Amino acid sequence: ASSTVTFSSLPLELILEISDYLPRDGMLSLKLTSRFLHDAIPKGRLERTAPSPCARFAIRAYLTFTKPKPTHTRCILCKASYPHNQFSSYASPVHNSHPLDHDYPKVIEIPGRFCNLH
């Protein structure tokens, strides 16, 4: 009869040793995989490691995010909030493709969620 070894069946000392090599967000993810691991990995171990650049960016983005006004939309490129009419093609910059076409301006089509400044 063969027995299968799972991560949670490893000795606690080995689990703690492995978790020391994880970045803070990895250790938090490990704690959230099961109640056993949540209880086995002390909270103090999370505080000994610095957050990864990805986790720092996510935290900064979460803390600085403000919901735009109901009359505004957030541009997915510059992250600024503009009135809804700045996201329609009729408000986009007008360019003439040829100097003789000054009577027929061309409207640039704007992809969704991009403001007309881009």
Side-chain angles (χ1 to χ4, degrees), residues 72-93 108-118:
H72 287 61
T73 302
R74 184 177 303 281
C75 175
I76 61 173
L77 189 60
C78 67
K79 309 292 188 253
S81 180
Y82 299 105
H84 294 309
N85 65 358
Q86 296 296 316
F87 293 86
S88 61
S89 294
Y90 76 86
S92 67
I108 299 171
E109 290 296 321
I110 298 176
R113 303 270 324 266
F114 282 90
C115 68
N116 65 9
L117 300 175
H118 298 106

Side-chain angles (χ1 to χ4, degrees), residues 14-93:
L14 187 56
I15 292 174
L16 294 176
E17 192 68 33
I18 292 169
S19 71
D20 283 341
Y21 288 96
L22 295 173
R24 179 184 244 168
D25 46 337
M27 195 179 304
L28 180 60
S29 296
L30 182 62
K31 282 179 67 73
L32 296 174
T33 58
S34 73
R35 182 166 298 282
F36 168 75
L37 291 172
H38 184 270
D39 295 337
I41 301 172
K43 183 181 176 185
R45 286 188 181 255
L46 284 172
E47 296 161 359
R48 288 193 307 192
T49 59
S52 68
C54 182
R56 281 195 299 265
F57 177 76
I59 292 167
R60 197 173 333 116
Y62 176 76
L63 292 176
T64 60
F65 179 77
T66 56
K67 191 172 182 177
K69 299 175 191 174
T71 59
H72 287 61
T73 302
R74 184 177 303 281
C75 175
I76 61 173
L77 189 60
C78 67
K79 309 292 188 253
S81 180
Y82 299 105
H84 294 309
N85 65 358
Q86 296 296 316
F87 293 86
S88 61
S89 294
Y90 76 86
S92 67

